Amino acid sequence: MRTDSPLVLDVRELLESPGVQKPIAFSEPVAVGTDLAKLDGDLLLDLTLEAIEGGILVRGELSGAYTGSCRRCLKPLDGVFDVRASELYRSEGAEVWEEGYAVKDSKVDLEPMILDTVGLALPLNPLCREDCAGICPRCGADLNDGPCDCGPEPDQRWSALEELKGKLNG
Ligand SMILES: [Zn+2]
Ligand SMILES: [Zn+2]
């Protein structure tokens, strides 16, 4: 864990005062997402930390903007997201679980939680619009601009075979 990261928070004091809620709000660029949709600019963190039985409860909101490309036509697109987080960082000495987050050296590292939570909040199949027509698999024309000259799609049952033939013919 990089202890100099702003995403690593010292919770020593908090651990000694159960029940006290500590609000934290800051923004920070984080590398999260895929080529289809990734965080653009800073992630806004608006969280509350609280020492509870078993560890540190981290909850609040993560929000920001993303850029990516349309899954069907590959045009650039963007959007915003706003996701709620509520995770327990287990105390040192508590039973260690394979999964989940843990307090280490009296610190919590928000990054893994951010990667998980924001990763799920970003669209898996971003579309420039619901009814994006995509690009023609044969000539590559953007079908949102109108039909291309390739004619109607061949029967779906044959398309796998055509694809295979295409591969064989190189
Ligand atoms: Zn599109
Ligand atoms: Zn075409």
Side-chain angles (χ1 to χ4, degrees), residues 59-142:
R59 63 200 151 118
E61 269 173 46
L62 304 171
S63 58
Y66 66 85
T67 54
S69 38
C70 174
R71 173 118 200 162
R72 289 188 198 144
C73 73
L74 304 177
K75 261 195 258 240
L77 52 74
D78 51 52
V80 293
F81 65 89
D82 188 339
V83 63
R84 289 202 61 78
S86 180
E87 300 293 345
L88 177 69
Y89 279 71
R90 284 170 217 285
S91 318
E92 288 153 295
E95 198 178 333
V96 178
W97 293 52
E98 287 273 327
E99 301 196 5
Y101 316 107
V103 179
K104 269 186 213 143
D105 303 326
S106 301
K107 295 186 179 74
V108 298
D109 183 359
L110 297 177
E111 192 170 3
M113 185 268 282
I114 290 169
L115 297 185
D116 293 346
T117 308
V118 175
L120 287 175
L122 294 171
L124 260 183
N125 292 301
L127 294 175
C128 61
R129 54 175 213 238
E130 273 306 304
D131 60 349
C132 172
I135 51 179
C136 172
R138 282 174 284 167
C139 73
D142 185 346

